[in-house]
Amino acid sequence: MRDPYQVLGVARGASDAEIKKAFRRRAKELHPDRNREDPKAQDRFSELNTAYEIVGDETKRKQFDRGEIDAEGKPKFQGFEGMGAGRGGRSGGFEFNFGQGGAPFGRGSAGGSGGDAGFDASDIFSSLFGEASRRARGKPEPQKPPEQSFTLEVTLVQAATGGTRRVKLPGGREVEITIPEGVSDGKVMRLRGLGQTDPFSGEAGDVMMTIKVKPDPRFTIDGKDLRTRVAVPLAKAVLGGPLHVPTLTGAVEMTIPPMTGSAKQFRLRGKGLKGEKGAVGDLFVAIDIEMPAEDAELTALMKARGD
């Protein structure tokens, strides 16, 4: 174990704030999660942690500076030549008490007869790396598997009316999902617990499903409104009458007035898409007048009217 001051990269007279700042910087650099290709990353990170447990703790730092403990926090027996200290004994005028597992602590630190809780860098590790840092320190925590994602294509009718659909997830599992009524193109839905399962924790991840609405040749989307064009024979455009118009829920019949021209547009209220807060758009119907291929009477009539 190297000198803990050298490991941290600080001078012996560094302040507590300087030591903590140096530890944070070095911990980010040496953390195993950021050095996965380095087989010695864990050893260097453990060395840094041990160095901070000594230099970052006021009591242990003083003990190290006085030569009473070594770079690993183990006691150095001092005093008269030939005399050592047994368990719970004295050495060189300094009393050592041994806590659980034989770990040495000075008077007043954890395991001794004082009341302080001793040094623990877990708060810094938590703020730096969260659960990943605890795993690196030998305390594995169950991790949620990474999210999976896929795109689901739906028709405009399915997006507007909703319903259920059986889909195959990225892992090959087939499930039945619910498509919300009025779902929009690009909507991302979270399927909780339907992703891959962590083999150690048994926890299942989530699947992110992106909705892609396929174009419908009958309609043009305009916000929550729809637009469509319907072909009308010339005779019906002149005389008026019933006309069948496609909607998302099936064809409906509407009546056009006589002498309906191609500039005329009709509104069918509530036949559009469902928007926010339950609002429903309208369907706008434009007319395309169909001319007959050949009609001698119509040609003669138009010539007569033209005269």
Side-chain angles (χ1 to χ4, degrees):
M1 181 70 183
R2 293 183 293 156
D3 185 303
Y5 288 101
Q6 293 180 359
V7 174
L8 289 167
V10 297
R12 286 183 174 267
S15 65
D16 292 342
E18 291 173 336
I19 293 172
K20 181 177 289 189
K21 182 178 180 180
F23 172 70
R24 285 178 176 271
R25 183 181 66 254
R26 295 287 290 156
K28 290 180 180 179
E29 295 173 356
L30 300 178
H31 196 277
D33 286 353
R34 297 189 177 185
N35 300 273
R36 298 180 184 274
E37 305 300 324
D38 186 352
K40 296 183 178 180
Q42 179 64 58
D43 294 337
R44 282 196 289 268
F45 190 71
S46 297
E47 182 183 48
L48 177 69
N49 182 31
T50 301
Y52 185 65
E53 287 180 353
I54 294 174
V55 179
D57 180 84
E58 183 179 358
T59 301
K60 291 185 179 181
R61 183 180 181 184
K62 290 179 179 178
Q63 294 173 6
F64 179 79
D65 290 344
R66 291 194 298 260
E68 295 165 354
I69 60 174
D70 62 15
E72 296 182 357
K74 298 177 181 179
K76 290 182 178 180
F77 298 115
Q78 301 174 356
F80 296 103
E81 184 178 357
M83 296 186 63
R87 185 175 183 84
R90 293 178 176 270
S91 175
F94 184 85
E95 180 178 346
F96 286 93
N97 296 291
F98 292 79
Q100 184 178 359
F105 299 93
R107 176 180 291 277
S109 60
S113 58
D116 296 337
F119 173 78
D120 186 3
S122 61
D123 57 335
I124 294 181
F125 277 101
S126 296
S127 64
L128 283 174
F129 306 104
E131 293 181 354
S133 66
R134 290 191 289 273
R135 294 199 308 273
R137 297 167 64 218
K139 299 180 181 179
E141 294 285 347
Q143 293 295 296
K144 194 170 186 178
E147 295 174 348
Q148 297 175 293
S149 61
F150 75 106
T151 299
L152 177 65
E153 284 193 337
V154 299
T155 65
L156 182 59
V157 173
Q158 290 173 328
T161 60
T164 58
R165 174 91 172 265
R166 192 158 189 86
V167 300
K168 179 177 287 189
L169 301 179
R173 177 182 177 186
E174 289 191 3
V175 298
E176 190 171 81
I177 55 98
T178 299
I179 302 172
E181 181 182 2
V183 68
S184 58
D185 183 64
K187 175 72 174 180
V188 179
M189 301 173 59
R190 180 182 294 273
L191 307 180
R192 297 188 181 278
L194 295 183
Q196 58 186 350
T197 302
D198 186 275
F200 300 102
S201 67
E203 185 174 1
D206 300 335
V207 176
M208 307 304 291
M209 180 177 71
T210 302
I211 297 293
K212 180 177 177 58
V213 180
K214 294 187 291 186
D216 191 313
R218 300 172 299 169
F219 305 104
T220 300
I221 300 175
D222 184 7
K224 64 178 182 296
D225 296 326
L226 294 175
R227 299 184 181 276
T228 189
R229 305 190 68 88
V230 179
V232 178
L234 176 62
K236 181 169 290 188
V238 173
L239 301 175
L243 181 69
H244 287 86
V245 178
T247 73
L248 292 173
T249 55
V252 298
E253 186 178 275
M254 60 173 285
T255 300
I256 60 173
M259 305 304 294
T260 295
S262 57
K264 185 70 175 178
Q265 186 171 253
F266 301 91
R267 180 199 296 257
L268 298 182
R269 297 189 180 277
K271 294 298 183 180
L273 299 173
K274 188 173 182 180
E276 296 180 359
K277 300 181 180 179
V280 180
D282 302 326
L283 173 63
F284 291 88
V285 183
I287 300 300
D288 288 332
I289 298 177
E290 290 183 325
M291 299 296 293
E294 185 176 347
D295 190 320
E297 293 183 3
L298 178 61
T299 302
L301 176 62
M302 291 299 103
K303 286 182 177 181
R305 289 180 62 85
D307 294 342

